[in-house]
Amino acid sequence: MKIFCLEDFKVEFEKLSSKKSYRDIEREIISYFFEKPIEDFESGVRLNNRDDFPYIKKRLKGRGGYRCYFLMVLKNDCLYLMFVHPKTGTSGSRNITDESKTYLYKKVFKSIQNQDLYALNLDEGKEHIIFSKPFGFH
């Protein structure tokens, strides 16, 4: 499975991971999203009715952890991370607004079309996420 993300996800991830109280976010993202078949990601709250492009809101690290929004493109075996936020702490919030969810949903399709995404891979030790701008991904 290939994992990509929007700029929105990357910016929020980097902001959160630089704070001491959210330093576990990278480990949580790696643990949940990497080295698993795409079928493992269908749990969570489905925000659309598309079986071919499920838009999922998923809680990571249980209650009080993080909330992650992502889109799966099953036929291409791709997962697109759109946004992440903590549920608690100084940067925490219960949810994002419906308008934000709609914005992200539209933006991810536009970003896929424009190839304006980051590819996510792990370093050799599989402990850190590496963001890169792929050339001609699909």
Side-chain angles (χ1 to χ4, degrees), residues 86-125:
K87 301 277 289 163
T88 60
T90 56
S91 297
S93 65
R94 290 175 46 120
N95 276 312
I96 60 174
T97 65
D98 289 340
E99 292 81 15
S100 295
K101 292 173 194 170
T102 301
Y103 161 80
L104 291 168
Y105 189 65
K106 290 177 180 177
K107 184 173 183 179
V108 74
F109 284 109
K110 189 174 188 176
S111 295
I112 291 168
Q113 183 179 28
N114 295 335
Q115 298 186 2
D116 186 24
L117 295 160
Y118 289 90
L120 280 71
N121 292 292
L122 297 178
D123 67 354
E124 285 187 32

Side-chain angles (χ1 to χ4, degrees), residues 4-126:
F4 300 97
C5 77
L6 294 176
E7 178 83 18
D8 305 67
F9 178 89
K10 182 180 183 293
V11 167
E12 191 66 17
F13 173 85
E14 289 173 344
K15 180 178 87 172
L16 292 171
S17 62
S18 70
K19 296 182 179 182
K20 187 176 182 178
S21 58
Y22 302 120
R23 67 176 163 236
D24 64 342
I25 189 170
E26 186 168 26
R27 183 181 44 211
E28 293 298 321
I29 296 291
I30 290 169
S31 173
Y32 186 76
F33 289 104
F34 284 85
E35 299 183 355
K36 294 181 180 177
I38 199 162
E39 297 81 26
D40 286 3
F41 303 110
E42 293 192 38
S43 68
V45 176
R46 177 117 17 142
L47 300 175
N48 66 358
N49 293 320
R50 300 281 309 261
D51 289 332
D52 50 346
F53 302 108
Y55 180 16
I56 307 286
K57 173 176 76 170
K58 178 66 179 171
R59 183 183 294 173
L60 302 179
K61 194 182 170 188
R63 196 169 187 201
Y66 302 96
R67 175 114 344 122
C68 193
Y69 298 83
F70 61 93
L71 181 83
M72 295 187 298
V73 179
L74 299 175
K75 69 176 184 168
N76 293 344
D77 204 30
C78 292
L79 190 138
Y80 299 90
L81 299 170
M82 298 155 64
F83 193 70
V84 64
H85 69 84
K87 301 277 289 163
T88 60
T90 56
S91 297
S93 65
R94 290 175 46 120
N95 276 312
I96 60 174
T97 65
D98 289 340
E99 292 81 15
S100 295
K101 292 173 194 170
T102 301
Y103 161 80
L104 291 168
Y105 189 65
K106 290 177 180 177
K107 184 173 183 179
V108 74
F109 284 109
K110 189 174 188 176
S111 295
I112 291 168
Q113 183 179 28
N114 295 335
Q115 298 186 2
D116 186 24
L117 295 160
Y118 289 90
L120 280 71
N121 292 292
L122 297 178
D123 67 354
E124 285 187 32
K126 298 185 180 186

